[in-house]
Each structure stands twice: as C-alpha cells, then as structure tokens.
Amino acid sequence: MAGKRKQHTAAFKAQVALAALKGDRTVNELASQFSVHPTLIHAWKKQLWTGAEAVFAGGAKAATTEGEAAQAELYEQIGRLKMELDYVKKKAALFR
C-alpha cells in the first residue's frame, strides 16, 4: 500500500513555479532541489502563467469586494437585530 500523498502549501508551489519561470535551472534540477516530481513543477508553472493576469486585474477590486461583502453582512445583521428588538419592545408594551 502506498504512503500518504504530500500536500504542498500555496507558498511552496509559488516559490517552485517562480524558480521554474526564471529559467536559471532546468526543471529536473529544481525537482531534485525541492524533492518534487518534474510533472508537478510543469503544472504549477502553467497555473502561475495562466493565473498571473488575475493577480494584476483584480487585485484592488478583490479587496474592496471582500470588504463590501463583509460590510453588507454586518448591515444585514444590524437590521435583523433591530427588528427583533422592536418586536420585543412592542410585546413588552402590551403587558404593561
């Protein structure tokens, strides 16, 4: 039975892919240095190459979109809590 597969972090993959894109060393040299299969290096290099456009295209927009989403969620929660509080105040007023 084979052992458990290695799971590499995104930072490690980026480091290896950037080293491959530099072209200073061959993929086989990088594979022996980082102890990964050359096929993985080719795949990570291809992912970096195709995804590099997204880094520059949506960098600032992605951050504001996440912030806006969090803000909208908080406003929704505030509205819900305010409605619950109003409901409780109305019911309490009936029993006075």
Side-chain angles (χ1 to χ4, degrees), residues 48 50-60:
L48 179 65
T50 57
E53 182 180 317
V55 171
F56 296 107

Side-chain angles (χ1 to χ4, degrees), residues 35-69:
S35 302
V36 295
H37 198 271
T39 307
L40 282 175
I41 295 177
H42 284 293
W44 295 340
K45 181 179 170 183
K46 186 177 180 181
Q47 285 178 350
L48 179 65
W49 189 255
T50 57
E53 182 180 317
V55 171
F56 296 107
K61 291 181 183 178
T64 58
T65 305
E66 291 175 9
E68 290 173 357

Side-chain angles (χ1 to χ4, degrees), residues 5 12 18 20 23 53-54 64 66-67 70 73 85 87 90 94:
R5 296 175 69 176
F12 177 77
L18 284 173
E53 182 180 317
T64 58
E66 291 175 9
E73 184 179 335
L85 181 62
Y87 176 78
K90 286 180 184 177
L94 289 176

Side-chain angles (χ1 to χ4, degrees), residues 15-35 38 41-42 45:
Q15 178 185 6
V16 175
L18 284 173
L21 278 176
K22 265 184 172 177
D24 293 345
R25 286 177 268 155
T26 65
V27 173
N28 287 329
E29 290 173 343
L30 292 172
S32 64
Q33 178 187 354
F34 291 108
S35 302
I41 295 177
H42 284 293
K45 181 179 170 183

